[in-house]
Amino acid sequence: MIQSFLVSMFGYCLASLPIYIILRVLYLRNKEKDWLREFVMLLFFFYCVSIFSQTIIPNFYFMDGRIIFDTSTAYARSNFTPLQTIRLYYDQLNGPLANIAFYNLAGNIVLFIPFGFFIPLLWKKFRGWRMMHVVAFSIPLFIEGTQYFIGRSIDVDDVLLNAIAIVVGFVLFKVIRRLCKMFF
């Protein structure tokens, strides 16, 4: 299961790389270049493409030379009740659906931690707590809101888990930054 996600993410990253390079070259043509920052920016771009490829791009398949978007059961799987899915998965951590429960809970947290780290690392105006809390809720709300309109399932608990993860990433950024100031 994870392997198919990774292969899909790699494909989207590879397909979008030429567009990224062209846009960055145009943006930087008359600016001083910081190659370390550009490398980190490229990593962040790949991360964003990977996350968005798995969350925003509609489920689709090819049939008879056409692209078919699968929205057949999306709205039936939507949850607007806070903590409902988290409780369901938590209760299943020792049950028959333990793997699914673990991957859903851990995935919604682990996969979003880099947002909280990369964003303040790349843009100084996002180094304050207030701004990062806005970011921590804006990104998951954007993803879940977009999923609603493209026919994918949505879950308010994903917003909560993703926001917590972004704040955790921000805390990691703050800790690492402080350690770097102390030792370097």
Side-chain angles (χ1 to χ4, degrees), residues 131-145 159 163 166:
M131 190 59 121
M132 278 309 294
H133 278 85
V134 170
V135 168
F137 280 99
S138 297
I139 292 171
L141 282 171
F142 170 76
I143 290 171
E144 294 298 315
V159 173
I166 292 170

Side-chain angles (χ1 to χ4, degrees), residues 26-153:
L26 290 173
Y27 176 77
L28 293 170
R29 79 178 155 206
N30 293 328
K31 296 184 172 146
E32 187 175 323
K33 286 128 190 103
D34 177 350
W35 295 110
L36 179 60
R37 178 178 164 69
E38 288 307 309
F39 178 71
V40 173
M41 187 73 85
L42 179 64
L43 290 177
F44 182 61
F45 170 76
F46 283 148
Y47 166 72
C48 288
V49 168
S50 297
I51 292 297
F52 293 145
S53 74
Q54 302 306 306
T55 59
I56 292 181
I57 295 175
N59 295 327
F60 66 91
Y61 57 92
F62 295 97
M63 185 168 49
D64 300 326
R66 295 185 335 219
I67 299 175
I68 308 296
F69 292 99
D70 180 16
T71 60
S72 57
T73 61
Y75 299 108
R77 299 179 304 194
S78 296
N79 170 38
F80 296 100
T81 307
L83 304 178
Q84 179 178 335
T85 304
I86 293 172
R87 275 191 220 124
L88 173 74
Y89 283 134
Y90 182 77
D91 291 343
Q92 286 297 318
L93 285 175
N94 293 320
L97 302 175
N99 282 347
I100 294 170
F102 175 77
Y103 283 123
N104 191 294
L105 290 172
N108 271 307
I109 294 172
V110 172
L111 290 177
F112 280 77
I113 289 173
F115 274 120
F117 187 83
F118 275 118
I119 290 173
L121 179 66
L122 291 167
W123 296 284
K124 290 179 182 178
K125 68 182 177 181
F126 293 103
R127 292 185 181 169
W129 286 99
R130 183 175 294 134
M131 190 59 121
M132 278 309 294
H133 278 85
V134 170
V135 168
F137 280 99
S138 297
I139 292 171
L141 282 171
F142 170 76
I143 290 171
E144 294 298 315
T146 303
Q147 287 178 339
Y148 180 79
F149 291 107
I150 63 172
R152 292 189 64 165
S153 65

Side-chain angles (χ1 to χ4, degrees), residues 109-110 112-117 129 132-133 136 161-175:
I109 294 172
V110 172
F112 280 77
I113 289 173
F115 274 120
F117 187 83
W129 286 99
M132 278 309 294
H133 278 85
L161 293 170
N162 298 163
I164 290 167
I166 292 170
V167 171
V168 167
F170 183 62
V171 169
L172 284 172
F173 167 78
K174 290 285 200 180
V175 167

